[in-house]
Every structure is written in structure tokens, then in C-alpha cells.
Amino acid sequence: MDPRFREDDKIMDFLLTEEHLMIQKMARDFAQKEVAPFSMELDEKSEFPSRHLKKMAELGFMGMMIPTQWGGSGLDMISYVLALEEISAACASTGVTMSVNNSLYCGPISRFGNEGQKKKHLIPFASGEKLGAYCLSEPGTGSDAANQSTTAKFNGSHYVLNGTKNFITSGPHADAMVVFAMTDKAKKHRGISAFIVEKGSKGFSVGKIEKKLGIRASSTSSIILDNCEVPKENILGKEGEGFSIAMNTLDYGRIGIATQALGISRAAFEASVKYAKEREAFGQSISNFQAIQWMIADMATRIEASRLLIYKAAFLKDKNLPASKEASMAKLFASETSNFVTNKAVQIHGGYGYCREYPVERYLRDARITEIYEGTSEIQRLVIARHSLKD
Ligand code: CAA
């Protein structure tokens, strides 16, 4: 048994606080009234959800866990996952845009940045005035993140970065990004450093914009660093600390993607229950058939299990306890659940589920990425197995 929980099995208060419930309600009202009605259109046009981000900034959703002195809302991670589930249930593309800004950009700057960096590169992002991104993957480096090809050389006055970053969420719209690059290749992962790179820096450009299967309203591109000049004060942490910063950041990010997957699952489930009650076949509602009921039961159970894994991982983070394994478990289970649930949702809807008139085909397309980005399901299993064998 996990030694952290041996003494007491009351590890979690399952009751959300009044404040949590208020945040959840505020997010749900906003998401259902102002985000959901446009999701289909944004998906069709592959249109970035800028219109929602402004309002989400006003609601304090773009830097939820960042202290108020640094432009954020100063809330806990449970509040964040509650809000993110609501946004993702309404629009998974808006969900990932929110998640990346909160956990992949603002998160590492708030934990590893110095005062000057926080003033300049955190306040406007946590308040939602600007948007951030995270550049780890490269054309030849996805799962094997330690094997970075991008280099950073200090030339006496600033760092010069060279390389291409791939599949960067919000890449074309981001005002700044946390970028990982090798400052000392001989040291392998201990030679990786993290930098804050601003759009408009000399040698920085946005590369190919991807056309995607799902989350089409989020924007994804490569980022080209061609002798890109980065001021020396923009190094995040010390030289060589980059890989550890990247991994620490992904512990939070994976809880975010698990939550995005949960939101997609919930939306698909709710649509399926509604449809099953309305649709008639053989002279009665299809919800009377056990074939449908069993699908609904399996969907409901896996969604609830996903939610509990996410809450547990977020709860541990809020208590400043290690949660890499739990974050990976939440991400693995919630993302596989979203693929299971959205598939069943299409099945319940039959031919209508395959057509764009109903939202479930979008949910199925949107769910697919949750098993890939911020660590594939295979990488999550690797992390879980390593921790389990070590425990
Ligand atoms: N927190 C802090 N440090 C950590 C850590 C964590 N969670 N996990 C590992 N580390 C440290 C280790 O302690 C070790 O440090 P030292 O050697 O200095 O002691 C170091 O990192 C190396 O650890 P490993 O030996 O475990 O490294 P590895 O090379 O075997 O890789 C891996 C581990 C889990 C496979 C990792 O490479 C990984 O997570 N890969 C997937 C990458 C990924 O998720 N990419 C997603 C891109 S971002 C994205 O998708 C964003 C988006 O736009 C939505």
C-alpha cells in the first residue's frame, strides 16, 4: 500500500467546498451559454476561440492556480479541474487552450521563475491578457523528450537558439513560450535548459500550421528558431535544469489533459442519455433496451472513475505531495475512457452519430488526441510502472 495513506484511509474529503461549487457553477453557466453554442461552427471553420478567451480572462480562468500578486486567481487545483471540465465539455479546443496557458506556460514560470520574470512574463499571461505555449516536442523527438536537438548557445550577451519545435498547441497565437533546448549535449538530459521566448524575437517564426482530425479550433503549429536571440535573463531556472522543469510541468499538465478528456466524455454521455430517451425503435424508447442500458452503465462508471482519479491527483498537488504516478493514472484512464465513451456515444446515436448534425462525431474526433499529447498512453503506462515497481 502507498505509505502516504497507510495511517488513515480518509485521504480525501469527497465534499467540494462552497467556493468549489460556486466556481463550478460559474464555469458551467458560462460554458453552456457562451461556449457550447459556437463549438460546432468553430470546429467546422478551424477557428481559434479568441472570442471565448477574453471572457475567460475576465472570469479568472487563464491563470487559476497562480497567486493573485502574479496576475492569477490564487485558487487550488481542484477549482481548476472543476472549471476545465466545464469548458472542455462545451468545447475541447477551448479546453486545451486554457489548459496549456494555465499548466504548461504559467505553471513553470510561477514555480521556477524569478521576480523579474514573473513581473514581465507571468502577470499578463495569468491575467489572460496574453497567451502562452510550451515547446518540448520536435519533429524527431516526441516520447523520448530527453533527446532534444534544439540547441542554445550563450554568446556572451544572449542565448542563440537553433531548432524546430513541433505540434505546439496555440503556437500561431501565443505571445510567448517556454522552450526547451540543449545547452550542453554531452550531459544528455542534464544538459537541457528552459527559456522564455517571446514572439517577435529575432530569428523566431511560426512554421507549418497543422490540419487536424479533432480539436480543430485549437491551433497547432511548428515553431522555428533560426539563430533566435533570447536575452540571458530569460533562462528559467539554471542551465541544465530544463528536463526536470519539463517533467514537473507535465505532472500538472497531464491532470489538465485528463480533465479535458473527462469533459469530452461527459458531454458525449449527456448527449447519449438524451438521445436514448428520445429515440424510438420497435415501438419504444431505445433506453428501454438492455443493449443501450449496458452501454450507458459502462460509460457512467468509467466517467466517474476518471473523475475520482483526477480529483485524487489534484488533491495531492494541492497538498504539495508527489503525484507523478497519480497524474499519469488520471491521464491514462480518463483519455482511454473518453475514446471508449465517445465511440459508444456514436453507436447509441447510430447513423445520426456519424453525421455532423449531432455533436458526437466531434467528441469522438476530439477524444483521440487525449491519448497522444502530453505523453501517450504508452508513456503514462511507463511512468506508472516505474513508480509501482519502485514503491
Ligand atoms: N518531475 C521532476 N523530475 C523528473 C520527473 C518529474 N515528474 N520525472 C523524471 N524526472 C527527472 C528524473 O529524476 C531524472 O533526473 P536525474 O537523472 O537528474 O536524477 C530525469 O528527469 C530523467 O528521468 P528519466 O530517467 O525517467 O527520463 P527518461 O529519459 O527515461 O524519460 C519519460 C522519461 C517519462 C519517457 C519522459 O521523457 C516523458 O515524459 N516523455 C513524454 C514527453 C511528453 O509528454 N511530451 C508531451 C509534449 S508537450 C505537449 O503535448 C503539449 C501540448 O501542446 C498539449
Side-chain angles (χ1 to χ4, degrees):
M1 189 186 188
D2 191 324
R4 279 169 297 170
F5 310 133
R6 203 164 282 160
E7 293 165 17
D8 183 354
D9 64 359
K10 281 186 271 169
I11 55 162
M12 197 185 311
D13 182 352
F14 279 88
L15 291 176
L16 298 173
T17 64
E18 283 301 314
E19 192 186 25
H20 288 144
L21 293 171
M22 202 184 75
I23 291 160
Q24 186 184 48
K25 182 176 180 323
M26 181 172 78
R28 187 170 295 170
D29 288 349
F30 165 69
Q32 289 308 314
K33 280 190 203 126
E34 299 188 40
V35 178
F38 299 100
S39 306
M40 207 176 267
E41 180 192 335
L42 294 188
D43 173 75
E44 280 288 334
K45 296 183 183 162
S46 293
E47 184 184 320
F48 191 68
S50 310
R51 60 175 105 179
H52 302 321
L53 300 183
K54 194 169 177 297
K55 184 69 195 288
M56 284 161 64
E58 285 166 21
L59 292 171
F61 289 173
M62 297 309 281
M64 290 189 74
M65 295 171 286
I66 306 303
T68 49
Q69 74 174 121
W70 302 120
S73 301
L75 295 166
D76 59 12
M77 194 157 200
I78 295 281
S79 304
Y80 170 60
V81 299
L82 289 171
L84 186 55
E85 178 187 333
E86 297 306 325
I87 301 296
S88 302
C91 174
S93 297
T94 308
V96 71
T97 312
M98 171 177 164
S99 173
V100 166
N101 193 69
N102 272 271
S103 38
L104 296 193
Y105 179 84
C106 291
I109 298 182
S110 110
R111 285 189 298 282
F112 302 100
N114 57 38
E115 197 156 332
Q117 290 173 337
K118 289 183 195 178
K119 263 192 196 137
K120 185 167 178 206
H121 302 291
L122 182 56
I123 293 177
F125 292 82
S127 64
E129 188 193 316
K130 292 184 174 179
L131 192 66
Y134 176 88
C135 300
L136 179 66
S137 302
E138 298 179 348
T141 303
S143 294
D144 185 9
N147 190 25
Q148 295 278 302
S149 301
T150 301
T151 56
K153 287 199 168 59
F154 187 58
N155 73 357
S157 64
H158 50 254
Y159 285 94
V160 180
L161 271 60
N162 276 294
T164 299
K165 294 292 178 178
N166 224 15
F167 305 132
I168 305 307
T169 302
S170 302
H173 291 85
D175 299 285
M177 352 203 135
V178 173
V179 176
F180 299 89
M182 278 285 184
T183 38
D184 188 346
K185 198 144 182 96
K187 290 188 181 160
K188 301 192 172 162
H189 71 268
R190 290 189 187 139
I192 296 173
S193 305
F195 299 91
I196 304 164
V197 179
E198 292 180 275
K199 180 172 90 179
S201 303
K202 193 174 166 204
F204 172 99
S205 61
V206 173
K208 181 179 159 224
I209 297 177
E210 304 294 346
K211 291 182 179 162
K212 308 190 295 285
L213 172 72
I215 55 159
R216 289 188 181 165
S218 85
S219 58
T220 310
S221 72
S222 60
I223 294 294
I224 298 161
L225 305 159
D226 180 12
N227 285 322
C228 177
E229 291 183 9
V230 177
K232 68 174 189 304
E233 60 270 20
N234 280 23
I235 187 162
L236 194 57
K238 295 197 191 89
E239 273 197 19
E241 288 180 356
F243 193 68
S244 162
I245 292 174
M247 293 296 113
N248 171 286
T249 301
L250 285 169
D251 282 350
Y252 291 84
R254 287 169 182 166
I255 301 173
I257 298 306
T259 307
Q260 183 204 21
L262 171 65
I264 299 168
S265 297
R266 197 191 88 204
F269 175 76
E270 287 172 357
S272 301
V273 167
K274 183 169 179 286
Y275 184 81
K277 285 183 180 168
E278 286 168 5
R279 173 76 177 175
E280 293 200 352
F282 305 100
Q284 55 184 306
S285 158
I286 63 167
S287 63
N288 290 334
F289 298 125
Q290 198 177 51
I292 300 292
Q293 290 172 358
W294 284 19
M295 281 195 251
I296 295 286
D298 286 343
M299 292 158 87
T301 306
R302 292 189 198 196
I303 290 171
E304 195 58 20
S306 302
R307 188 175 282 116
L308 291 175
L309 283 170
I310 290 166
Y311 285 5
K312 181 177 171 189
F315 171 88
L316 290 172
K317 281 282 174 209
D318 284 337
K319 298 276 179 247
N320 279 322
L321 288 165
S324 303
K325 181 176 76 176
E326 289 77 6
S328 283
M329 284 177 164
K331 161 88 164 56
L332 172 66
F333 193 83
S335 62
E336 291 192 347
T337 290
S338 71
N339 281 278
F340 172 84
V341 166
T342 55
N343 237 310
K344 294 293 179 208
V346 169
Q347 195 66 22
I348 289 170
H349 283 73
Y352 290 110
Y354 201 69
C355 299
R356 297 223 170 152
E357 193 187 336
Y358 281 81
V360 287
E361 64 82 31
R362 172 166 52 86
Y363 300 146
L364 178 66
R365 289 187 286 106
D366 287 349
R368 194 64 192 87
I369 188 62
T370 65
E371 275 199 63
I372 298 171
Y373 58 18
E374 297 203 30
T376 59
S377 289
E378 291 72 25
I379 290 296
Q380 307 311 325
R381 285 190 166 87
L382 180 149
V383 172
I384 296 162
R386 282 183 182 177
H387 279 276
S388 305
L389 292 165
K390 194 176 70 185
D391 283 349

